[in-house]
C-alpha cells in the first residue's frame, strides 16, 4: 500500500504553527567529554572541531587519502568548520539578491551552498531560517527570502518523511513502482559515475561531483533523470553513488530526492517528466560555461552511449505499463 504525503499539506501544517524557535545562544563554555577516544586524546573539543585539528586527527589515524589523493578538489572547494560556515551565512544577503532569477543556472555560484553546513550541523536550520527571514523583513530580497525558506522547508519535509519511513533509501514510497523492470547494466552505470556518457551536461555534473563533492540542484535533477529514465537503472544505484560522493549527502534529502526524480516518492515528478539534458543545457548553461569548466575539449564531442529520444520513449512505455 502506498503511503504518499504531499508537500503542500506539510507546508500548510507548518505555517499554521508558530515560527521555528530562535537559535540557541552560543554557550559560554563548551566542555569536551571526560573520556576521549585515543586518537583525540590531548585535543580539547574546540580543537577537534576546528579545521586543522580535524585534519590532524584524520592524519593521525591514517584516514587522509594518499594513493590516489582523491580529495584534493574537495579540499580546494570547501573549508570545513563552523567559522567558514558562518562566513558563508554572512553572505546570504548577497546570495538572495540574485536568487530569484538565477538560482537555477548551473554555471554560477547562485545558491547559498549551505547544504553541507546543515548536513554536518555547522549551522542549524533555525539559524539559517531566521537569518533569511530577517533579510526579508528588512525589505531586502523579500520574495527571494520566501523562495529560499521554501527550500529549507523541503529539507524539513524530507526529514519528516525519513522519520517515519526508515527504509526511505531502499524501498519505494509508492509500492506500485515495485513492478518497474529496471535494466542491470554495470557498464552504463560506470559511464554515468565517471561522467563518460557522451551527454555534455550529464558528464559535467558527474565530473564536478567527483572532483568537488557538489553539484547544483538543477544538474542533480538532470543527471538523476538521465540515470533513471534514459539508462533505466534503479534509482537506488544513483542514490548510493551520491551518498558516497556528495559532501552534503544526507539520509533524508538524498533518497527523498531520488525517489522524487524516479516518480516513486512523495509529490514525485510525474512519470512523463523526463528531463532532456540538451534542452536543459540550453536553458541553464546557455554559454556552455559550466560544461566547458568540467568536460575537457577532447571529450566534448564524444558519442552519447544511448539515444536520448529513443530511451525516453522506452522509459515512458515502461512507466505507462506499471501505472496501468
Ligand atoms: C537526486 C538529488 C539528490 C539530492 N541529495 C541531496 C543530499 O544528499 N543532501 C542535500 O542537502 N540536498 C540534496 N539534494 C537537494 C539539493 O540539490 C541541495 O540541497 C542543494 O543543491 C544544495 O545547494 P544549496 O545549499 O546551494 O541550495 P539553496 O538553493 O541555497 O537552498 C537552501 C537550502 O535548502 C535545502 N534544499 C534546497 N533544495 C532542496 C531539495 N530539493 N530537497 C531538500 N532540501 C533542499 C538545502 O538544505 C539547501 O542548503 C538532492 C537533490 C537531488 C535532485
Amino acid at each position: 500500500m502506498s503511503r504518499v504525503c504531499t508537500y503542500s499539506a506539510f507546508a500548510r501544517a507548518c505555517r499554521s504553527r508558530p515560527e521555528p524557535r530562535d537559535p540557541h545562544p552560543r554557550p559560554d563554555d563548551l566542555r569536551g567529554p571526560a573520556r576521549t577516544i585515543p586518537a583525540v586524546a590531548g585535543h580539547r573539543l574546540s580543537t577537534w572541531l576546528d579545521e586543522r585539528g580535524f585534519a590532524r586527527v584524520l592524519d593521525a589515524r591514517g584516514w587522509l587519502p594518499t594513493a590516489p589523493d582523491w580529495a584534493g578538489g574537495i579540499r580546494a572547494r570547501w573549508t570545513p568548520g563552523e567559522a567558514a560556515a558562518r562566513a558563508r551565512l554572512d553572505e546570504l544577503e548577497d546570495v538572495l539578491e540574485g536568487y530569484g532569477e538565477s538560482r537555477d543556472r548551473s554555471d554560477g555560484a547562485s545558491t547559498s551552498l549551505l547544504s553541507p553546513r546543515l548536513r554536518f550541523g555547522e549551522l542549524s536550520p533555525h539559524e539559517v531560517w531566521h537569518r533569511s527571514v530577517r533579510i526579508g523583513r528588512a525589505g531586502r530580497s523579500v520574495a527571494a527570502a520566501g523562495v529560499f525558506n521554501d527550500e529549507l522547508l523541503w529539507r524539513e519535509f524530507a526529514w519528516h518523511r525519513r522519520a517515519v519511513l526508515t527504509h526511505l533509501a531502499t524501498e519505494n514510497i509508492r509500492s506500485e513502482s515495485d513492478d518497474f523492470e529496471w535494466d542491470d547494466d554495470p557498464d552504463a552505470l560506470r559511464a554515468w559515475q565517471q561522467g563518460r556518457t557522451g551527454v555534455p551536461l550529464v558528464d559535467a555534473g558527474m565530473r564536478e561531483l567527483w572532483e568537488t563533492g557538489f553539484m547544483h540542484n538543477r544538474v542533480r535533477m538532470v543527471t538523476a533523470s538521465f540515470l533513471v529514465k534514459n539508462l533505466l537503472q534503479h534509482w537506488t544505484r544513483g542514490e548510493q553513488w551520491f551518498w558516497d560522493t556528495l559532501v552534503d549527502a544526507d539520509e533524508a534529502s538524498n533518497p527523498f530526492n531520488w525517489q522524487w526524480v524516479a516518480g516513486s516518492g512523495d509529490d514525485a515528478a510525474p512519470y512523463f517528466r523526463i528531463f532532456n539534458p540538451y534542452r536543459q543545457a540550453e536553458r541553464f548553461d546557455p554559454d556552455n560555461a559550466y560544461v566547458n569548466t568540467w568536460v575537457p575539449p577532447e571529450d566534448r564531442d564524444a558519442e552519447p552511449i544511448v539515444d536520448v529520444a529513443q530511451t525516453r520513449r522506452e522509459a515512458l512505455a515502461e512507466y505507462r505499463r506499471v501505472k496501468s
Side-chain angles (χ1 to χ4, degrees):
M1 195 178 56
S2 288
R3 306 148 285 182
V4 177
C5 234
T6 64
Y7 169 76
S8 50
F10 173 79
R12 236 187 350 266
C14 291
R15 293 202 174 96
S16 69
R17 301 173 67 83
E19 279 216 317
R21 64 161 171 76
D22 281 330
H24 293 307
R26 188 190 189 98
D28 294 333
D29 187 21
L30 185 62
R31 291 178 194 284
R35 275 185 58 238
T36 52
I37 52 174
V40 193
H43 292 267
R44 284 169 51 93
L45 183 62
S46 55
T47 314
W48 159 261
L49 288 176
D50 99 1
E51 183 213 338
R52 272 167 306 142
F54 187 58
R56 264 204 307 276
V57 171
L58 293 181
D59 199 15
R61 299 198 138 206
W63 285 350
L64 286 178
T66 49
D69 176 8
W70 47 260
I74 297 177
R75 280 197 300 275
R77 175 117 178 218
W78 303 97
T79 304
E82 189 181 339
R86 292 197 169 282
R88 184 62 186 162
L89 185 61
D90 287 341
E91 291 168 354
L92 187 59
E93 192 175 334
D94 293 340
V95 171
L96 290 184
E97 245 176 54
Y99 191 76
E101 306 81 56
S102 58
R103 75 196 169 99
D104 262 339
R105 284 186 66 133
S106 48
D107 59 351
S110 54
T111 62
S112 71
L113 306 178
L114 289 176
S115 52
R117 312 309 183 171
L118 290 161
R119 160 67 178 82
F120 287 101
E122 294 168 353
L123 297 172
S124 74
H126 295 93
E127 183 160 17
V128 178
W129 172 281
H130 280 281
R131 180 69 71 98
S132 159
V133 166
R134 268 213 313 278
I135 293 169
R137 287 200 181 130
R140 297 180 298 258
S141 310
V142 185
V147 176
F148 180 82
N149 279 344
D150 281 346
E151 298 297 347
L152 287 177
L153 209 49
W154 271 103
R155 179 179 179 278
E156 292 304 316
F157 185 44
W159 275 104
H160 169 72
R161 297 301 283 144
R162 169 62 188 80
V164 197
L165 303 170
T166 46
H167 301 295
L168 184 62
T170 49
E171 286 177 11
N172 293 315
I173 296 176
R174 292 173 187 266
S175 50
E176 60 269 28
S177 301
D178 294 349
D179 292 334
F180 201 95
E181 286 196 12
W182 301 101
D183 267 2
D184 181 10
D185 183 346
D187 291 339
L189 178 64
R190 203 162 309 116
W192 177 81
Q193 291 170 337
Q194 296 179 345
R196 298 189 181 283
T197 66
V199 178
L201 185 58
V202 172
D203 290 350
M206 298 308 292
R207 289 173 192 228
E208 181 190 17
L209 172 62
W210 176 252
E211 184 69 20
T212 70
F214 194 80
M215 200 197 289
H216 185 281
N217 183 57
R218 169 72 36 185
V219 190
R220 292 187 203 201
M221 290 195 285
V222 172
T223 54
S225 173
F226 185 78
L227 182 77
V228 171
K229 294 180 172 172
N230 292 103
L231 298 181
L232 283 182
Q233 303 295 300
H234 200 295
W235 62 265
T236 51
R237 301 199 174 129
E239 195 275 342
Q240 283 159 12
W241 184 252
F242 273 28
W243 176 257
D244 283 346
T245 50
L246 276 173
V247 289
D248 63 18
D250 83 45
E251 62 185 272
S253 298
N254 195 36
F256 178 90
N257 278 289
W258 272 96
Q259 295 225 34
W260 183 87
V261 172
S264 63
D266 286 317
D267 251 356
Y271 74 92
F272 47 80
R273 183 168 186 196
I274 299 183
F275 287 92
N276 179 318
Y278 298 102
R279 218 162 295 140
Q280 292 289 314
E282 279 164 22
R283 287 183 64 194
F284 301 111
D285 185 29
D287 308 322
N288 292 327
Y290 180 72
V291 165
N292 290 346
T293 302
W294 293 107
V295 182
E298 64 275 17
D299 289 344
R300 279 178 212 152
D301 297 321
E303 191 73 10
I305 59 170
V306 289
D307 178 332
V308 167
Q310 167 70 17
T311 48
R312 176 180 191 279
R313 281 194 293 277
E314 287 166 10
L316 279 176
E318 180 58 10
Y319 270 98
R320 274 195 208 104
R321 185 189 68 76
V322 168
K323 219 174 139 50
S324 64

